Amino acid sequence: MPREYQIHKRESAQKSKIDYAAELNEQQYAAVSSKPGASLVIAGAGSGKTRTLTYRVAYLLDKGVEARNILLLTFTNKASKEMLERVNELVDTDISDLWGGTFHSIGNRILRRHADELGFDRSFSILDRDDQKSLLKDVIKNSKVDQKNKRFPKPDLLLSIFSLIVNTQESLEDVLFYRYEYLQEWEAEIKKIQEGYVRKKKETNSMDFDDLLVLTLQVLKEDEDIRELYQRKFKYVLVDEYQDTNIVQCELVDILVGKSKNLMVVGDDAQSIYSWRGADMENILQFHLRYPDAETYKIEVNYRSQPEILALSNAAISANSDQIQKSLKAAREGGEMVPALVTVNDPRAQADFVAQRVTELIDSGIEEDEIAVLYRAHYQSMEVQMEMTSRSIPFHITSGLRFFEQAHVKDVSSYIRFVVNRKDEISFKRMVLMMPSIGDVSANKLWLQWQATKEAKSGELPKSFSAILLDFKVPAKAKMYWDQMCYTLDELVTGDGESFSAPTDMIFSILEGVYDDYMKDSFDNYENRRQDIEQLMQYATAYLDVEEFLAQLSLMSSVDGDPSNKNNNKKKDETGVTLSSIHQAKGLEWKVVFLIWLADGMFPNGRVLEADDNKMLEEERRLFYVALTRAKDQLYLSYPMMNPKSYSGDVFQNPSRFLDDFPAELVDEWQVTGGW
């Protein structure tokens, strides 16, 4: 037994049943059996990161460390549960006293013992998102913010801003300037609401999930006795997915470790892809600045992918300058095929290729759930969803709802549906419920007013909606938005009032007339949702008849109607081919992966190219690397040469600049014809 471990009370009573050297590869064993002190473990994709961490915990227990003196921090409850179950299988020791869980769950355990030091009762409530919105609505109502001339940001958006401030430790001014420029005019009011929200949580003895981190950090920093209590307790701290930690989590870990420096962090800087939610890759890159004596262990044997896929992945990420150098090596022998680089004419040809190839793979014996289609943004999956639906290929989506089921797509279509069918109560109410100060009661009153008009009774298409609707009685705060809605409805019919505008023109009028402002003030991912609506405009170019267009929307959506319908939230059938954004795919793997829309402006994202920021571009490249390393046996990379735009004509696209980062011989080039 190494001398360093003999300080612990419990010695191993018998020889460990685990032959660590035999059960681990050489690199894993070096990390698992490392001496006490600080350790940075760089575990590449598919290299057995979880195995390394669980065996490290088992190793510590075998060396006499008591379970109660070990802290294992993870990012998901699933990861924590799996690791602890695996440790329990490996050792005979009782591990019930081992503290293992997410950062938030560990923060909760500490605060349940010491919340009174911060002015809270230990019986504090934890607010979920709905609780937060309800509390924040009261704060906004009592703040008397003037909303007569412009819509104030919705609670959901404000909560996202508050969370970003906490997790990045940036000022409100900076967060608005760099991320929400269009909300800067509300800075003073938002600050007032933020302060009121903090007070309200204190008054109601409530904490949100961010508080579980920041208040834990606060009590540890402010109270020396409490800080030393946990530093003595946790003799060994282990952290999973360290590249995803934010500034608060990093500082929390450093404080809990204390003077012992017995810290093992495991992660992969090449898979750091969450800066947009506060993760700071500098935590892993600068680890040695905080722990100068730390040992570094690289685990580079990949058990997932065939060598040809790894060669491409290594070459792709090598273009990044800001990284810890490593090179994945395949444990597997040469595979079935070299990754394919597939050039297609346009998005429809791309979808046709993916669906056809998926059908062939399934016919060859590959299970549907061993195939994935990955993309940078959710809207990029629309054509693939349509093509798979038309071919009856089963699929499920991990990146959100099916395209036509999304709230913002349904919001826009509600305008069109009401104009076409003036008896559509659900669509009418959906439109008006987007306005401030209009709830279910007000919406119902407005509907009754509409029903009483001769135009509604006759069912005829009014020559002017505004001439009728502007006289309705609406709440004062909603008047400006009501007027905008009325004039927008006028634009959805032709100038003579005898027929409907083209579907793509209708969507453009709705977006620019009312819905763009609504999205800005309602959603924290405004840019993504606008891209979805622009994609819907592109889809609509195929239709001149608006009724046929609406029929297709309904057929492509499995759930229709009221946004409050509980069925909208039901769990999807998760069998079939996986369609996923790359962010959602991290940590998963499939035998076959299709990576689509590899064109500049699509991937890397257009906003990144416009910003001309190398850090942002390198994160996009890491995202590309994550996508490549999800594939085990076959990898298809595709890009459309042309992207039809409904409002600006056809756009010819350049291949993604990431495709220039590796030698041409690492891929097999395919040319697919067809499309629009």
Side-chain angles (χ1 to χ4, degrees):
M1 179 188 304
R3 185 175 180 181
E4 294 92 337
Y5 291 99
Q6 295 179 359
I7 60 173
H8 302 289
K9 294 180 181 178
R10 184 183 64 82
E11 302 260 349
S12 298
Q14 57 186 12
K15 185 177 180 180
S16 170
K17 66 178 182 180
I18 306 170
D19 186 343
Y20 291 93
E23 295 191 24
L24 301 167
N25 68 36
E26 185 177 344
Q27 293 176 334
Q28 292 170 339
Y29 178 69
V32 165
S33 62
S34 62
K35 64 182 181 180
S39 300
L40 171 62
V41 181
I42 302 299
S47 65
K49 169 181 66 67
T50 299
R51 185 177 183 84
T52 301
L53 263 177
T54 53
Y55 271 79
R56 173 62 175 176
V57 174
Y59 186 85
L60 291 174
L61 293 169
D62 275 344
K63 294 303 179 184
V65 180
E66 295 193 35
R68 64 186 178 88
N69 295 137
I70 298 175
L71 172 63
L72 174 61
L73 289 164
T74 65
F75 271 83
T76 66
N77 289 315
K78 179 183 177 183
S80 173
K81 185 171 181 284
E82 289 178 353
M83 288 186 196
L84 292 177
E85 286 177 349
R86 182 60 178 143
V87 171
N88 199 44
E89 293 172 357
L90 288 172
V91 300
D92 294 327
T93 309
D94 178 11
I95 65 167
S96 57
D97 288 337
L98 191 155
W99 280 39
T102 64
F103 280 88
H104 294 90
S105 67
I106 297 302
N108 177 55
R109 289 184 71 172
I110 292 174
L111 289 171
R112 289 297 174 190
R113 302 180 180 194
H114 309 290
D116 49 347
E117 300 291 333
L118 300 170
F120 288 84
D121 293 339
R122 297 184 185 185
S123 58
F124 62 84
S125 300
I126 299 177
L127 304 171
D128 62 19
R129 192 68 167 189
D130 286 339
D131 297 331
Q132 288 179 274
K133 287 193 290 185
S134 178
L135 186 148
L136 193 55
K137 284 177 182 177
D138 287 341
V139 174
I140 295 170
K141 182 179 179 181
N142 294 327
S143 70
K144 299 179 181 178
V145 173
D146 184 4
Q147 303 181 50
K148 290 180 182 177
N149 299 315
K150 196 173 189 324
R151 191 196 311 265
F152 189 65
K154 288 198 169 185
D156 250 333
L157 177 52
L158 290 174
L159 289 169
S160 295
I161 292 172
F162 298 163
S163 182
L164 200 57
I165 290 170
V166 169
N167 288 301
T168 62
Q169 298 292 285
E170 295 177 5
S171 65
L172 171 62
E173 180 182 11
D174 284 347
V175 167
L176 294 183
F177 180 80
Y178 290 108
R179 302 176 191 248
Y180 301 94
E181 186 178 359
Y182 50 86
L183 296 179
Q184 285 181 288
E185 63 184 291
W186 289 111
E187 182 181 336
E189 290 84 355
I190 293 174
K191 184 172 182 59
K192 180 181 177 182
I193 297 300
Q194 181 189 20
E195 292 168 349
Y197 176 61
V198 173
R199 284 196 302 271
K200 190 73 171 178
K201 287 187 292 182
K202 195 76 166 286
E203 291 170 5
T204 58
N205 194 39
S206 303
M207 298 183 190
D208 59 29
F209 282 95
D210 291 326
D211 291 327
L212 298 179
L213 297 182
V214 75
L215 294 181
T216 299
L217 181 59
Q218 182 180 334
V219 76
L220 291 173
K221 290 174 74 172
E222 292 179 354
D223 194 305
E224 183 179 359
D225 291 338
I226 295 175
R227 180 170 65 252
E228 291 183 352
L229 170 69
Y230 287 98
Q231 288 175 345
R232 288 193 301 270
K233 174 177 175 55
F234 299 131
K235 293 182 169 59
Y236 289 86
V237 177
L238 302 94
V239 185
D240 187 23
E241 302 285 11
Y242 191 68
Q243 78 281 347
D244 293 335
T245 55
N246 59 39
I247 189 171
V248 177
Q249 291 162 329
C250 180
E251 191 173 358
L252 187 57
V253 168
D254 291 345
I255 283 183
L256 289 172
V257 169
K259 297 177 181 178
S260 75
K261 305 298 183 185
N262 288 331
L263 169 65
M264 175 175 284
V265 300
V266 182
D268 182 7
D269 59 290
Q271 297 186 71
S272 179
I273 58 174
Y274 296 114
S275 68
W276 49 274
R277 68 184 189 195
D280 188 351
M281 192 177 72
E282 292 301 309
N283 293 342
I284 194 168
L285 293 181
Q286 304 295 332
F287 186 77
H288 282 85
L289 294 182
R290 300 196 318 284
Y291 298 89
D293 298 327
E295 296 288 341
T296 298
Y297 301 91
K298 295 182 182 180
I299 304 178
E300 300 170 297
V301 179
N302 175 286
Y303 293 92
R304 175 186 300 155
S305 305
Q306 67 176 43
E308 292 83 354
I309 293 173
L310 286 186
L312 178 60
S313 304
N314 286 331
I317 197 63
S318 67
N320 272 6
S321 58
D322 206 8
Q323 65 171 306
I324 298 171
Q325 293 297 326
K326 59 188 162 299
S327 180
L328 295 182
K329 304 172 184 63
R332 299 175 55 186
E333 297 181 358
E336 304 171 10
M337 60 176 286
V338 173
L341 177 58
V342 185
T343 305
V344 296
N345 287 343
D346 53 47
R348 186 165 290 180
Q350 179 174 247
D352 183 68
F353 162 72
V354 171
Q356 179 61 35
R357 186 64 184 138
V358 165
T359 300
E360 294 167 357
L361 291 167
I362 293 171
D363 289 344
S364 72
I366 295 178
E367 297 292 331
E368 295 159 351
D369 60 4
E370 286 285 1
I371 303 171
V373 182
L374 305 183
Y375 33 82
R376 173 64 179 84
H378 185 49
Y379 75 89
Q380 295 169 352
S381 69
M382 188 188 75
E383 291 87 2
V384 174
Q385 290 186 42
M386 292 166 55
E387 191 63 31
M388 287 192 168
T389 299
S390 68
R391 296 188 185 216
S392 299
I393 300 173
F395 67 91
H396 68 95
I397 299 173
T398 64
S399 57
L401 294 170
R402 294 185 180 224
F403 184 86
F404 296 103
E405 295 173 7
Q406 297 176 105
H408 47 295
V409 173
K410 285 184 167 291
D411 286 345
V412 169
S413 64
S414 68
Y415 282 80
I416 304 174
R417 287 169 49 143
F418 172 68
V419 169
V420 173
N421 174 16
R422 276 78 63 195
K423 296 181 180 180
D424 189 338
E425 179 180 355
I426 290 174
S427 293
F428 179 88
K429 289 182 176 179
R430 184 169 194 130
M431 287 191 304
V432 302
L433 283 169
M434 294 182 223
M435 301 180 193
S437 298
I438 293 184
D440 291 337
V441 173
S442 296
N444 192 56
K445 288 180 179 178
L446 289 166
W447 173 248
L448 293 175
Q449 289 184 65
W450 167 252
Q451 280 190 310
T453 64
K454 63 178 182 179
E455 288 81 5
K457 291 176 180 177
S458 68
E460 295 180 0
L461 178 64
K463 291 185 181 297
S464 171
F465 282 92
S466 60
I468 306 164
L469 295 171
L470 284 175
D471 292 332
F472 281 25
K473 295 179 181 179
V474 297
K477 289 183 179 179
K479 184 65 170 67
M480 180 178 68
Y481 308 102
W482 178 265
D483 292 353
Q484 289 175 335
M485 181 199 78
C486 294
Y487 295 126
T488 297
L489 292 175
D490 284 346
E491 293 183 20
L492 306 190
V493 297
T494 55
D496 58 11
E498 297 295 330
S499 60
F500 306 111
S501 302
T504 186
D505 294 333
M506 296 174 91
I507 297 170
F508 182 82
S509 293
I510 296 164
L511 178 63
E512 297 302 326
V514 290
Y515 201 66
D516 191 65
D517 286 339
Y518 175 80
M519 288 193 294
K520 284 180 179 177
D521 298 329
S522 302
F523 306 119
D524 62 345
N525 59 345
Y526 156 72
E527 291 89 355
N528 291 341
R529 291 180 190 252
R530 182 176 173 101
Q531 287 174 330
D532 283 347
I533 303 305
E534 290 174 348
Q535 193 75 0
L536 183 65
M537 289 167 60
Q538 178 179 309
Y539 170 67
T541 58
Y543 299 90
L544 294 177
D545 187 296
V546 68
E547 292 179 345
E548 182 185 355
F549 171 69
L550 289 176
Q552 285 301 313
L553 289 190
S554 295
L555 291 171
M556 293 296 295
S557 175
S558 63
V559 181
D560 200 6
D562 186 355
S564 65
N565 189 330
K566 296 295 187 281
N567 289 332
N568 276 0
N569 298 318
K570 69 181 181 180
K571 185 176 178 64
K572 303 294 177 186
D573 181 3
E574 294 190 352
T575 60
V577 177
T578 299
L579 271 60
S580 176
S581 70
I582 304 168
H583 283 102
Q584 292 287 334
K586 185 174 177 290
L588 304 176
E589 59 183 39
W590 295 270
K591 284 185 178 178
V592 182
V593 168
F594 294 83
L595 179 54
I596 62 175
W597 278 104
L598 283 170
D600 265 0
M602 294 294 177
F603 193 14
N605 183 279
R607 294 190 305 278
V608 172
L609 299 183
E610 290 171 8
D612 195 24
D613 185 312
N614 190 58
K615 281 194 172 184
M616 294 173 66
L617 183 62
E618 290 207 349
E619 179 157 338
E620 288 284 292
R621 188 175 284 110
R622 293 194 295 272
L623 191 62
F624 180 56
Y625 173 80
V626 167
L628 300 179
T629 54
R630 300 309 96 196
K632 294 194 282 188
D633 299 337
Q634 296 184 37
L635 176 63
Y636 299 88
L637 313 175
S638 69
Y639 74 91
M641 294 183 293
M642 185 182 71
N643 184 17
K645 292 285 187 180
S646 59
Y647 52 91
S648 59
D650 293 346
V651 175
F652 288 91
Q653 303 184 128
N654 291 320
S656 170
R657 59 195 61 198
F658 297 153
L659 300 179
D660 295 328
D661 291 338
F662 51 80
E665 60 266 23
L666 294 183
V667 294
D668 187 8
E669 296 193 22
W670 296 13
Q671 181 77 39
V672 176
T673 58
W676 281 324

